[in-house]
Amino acid sequence: MDAKVTWEKDLQFTGVFNSGFEVRMDSHPSPQTGASPVEMVAMALAGCTAMDVISILGKQKQQVTAFDVKVHAERSTDYPKVITSAVLEYVVVGHDIEEAALRTAIDRSIQKYCPVHAMLKKAFPIDTRYSIFEAGADGTPTLVKEGVYAE
């Protein structure tokens, strides 16, 4: 894996991966100028495990209609303002989603497949929660179960 970061102006950069995909970065993030590098770390954590979990849920024949992984990261107030802890929340909407299936998918992601989680859990604690919603006929989801995943 290779990447290059090119200075545009001020503290704005464009990163290009060897895949050709570009990402804009800025030390003062905004929708117009890009994400901060630390924001990208948090998003990488959520994105990595999200891909695993949705794939595993599909293989388990779970009827997922919507899926999000939210991440909340705390940072130190002193430089270099590293991430000191994070909370991942898996939010699954669907029909008859089995809690055991979701817990298995989260476990496989965290314990086996997600390299970002494996790296970052060595640097700071990552708490994991989940919410399961039943998709209503009118489009309104109803909370069925909330839980905490513990390794």
Side-chain angles (χ1 to χ4, degrees), residues 42-59:
M43 180 126 0
L45 173 60
C48 182
T49 189
M51 290 177 192
D52 294 338
V53 170
I54 197 67
S55 174
I56 294 165
L57 288 173
K59 290 174 184 171

Side-chain angles (χ1 to χ4, degrees), residues 29-132:
S30 76
Q32 293 76 35
T33 60
S36 77
V38 178
E39 285 178 321
M40 290 176 56
V41 169
M43 180 126 0
L45 173 60
C48 182
T49 189
M51 290 177 192
D52 294 338
V53 170
I54 197 67
S55 174
I56 294 165
L57 288 173
K59 290 174 184 171
Q60 294 174 329
K61 309 292 188 216
Q62 298 298 297
Q63 297 178 43
V64 177
T65 59
F67 177 65
D68 294 309
V69 177
K70 299 176 184 179
V71 61
H72 174 77
E74 292 289 332
R75 295 179 68 184
S76 65
T77 55
D78 298 326
Y79 285 97
K81 296 188 179 182
V82 298
I83 296 174
T84 57
S85 66
V87 177
L88 286 172
E89 181 186 358
Y90 299 83
V91 180
V92 183
V93 180
H95 303 288
D96 301 317
I97 302 297
E98 298 170 14
E99 181 181 16
L102 176 58
R103 290 181 63 82
T104 296
I106 293 169
D107 184 70
R108 287 184 185 159
S109 176
I110 288 174
Q111 299 298 328
K112 184 174 183 181
Y113 295 118
C114 180
V116 178
H117 191 284
M119 288 185 294
L120 294 180
K121 75 178 182 181
K122 294 177 182 180
F124 53 82
I126 304 170
D127 292 333
T128 306
R129 300 179 181 141
Y130 58 87
S131 301
I132 300 172

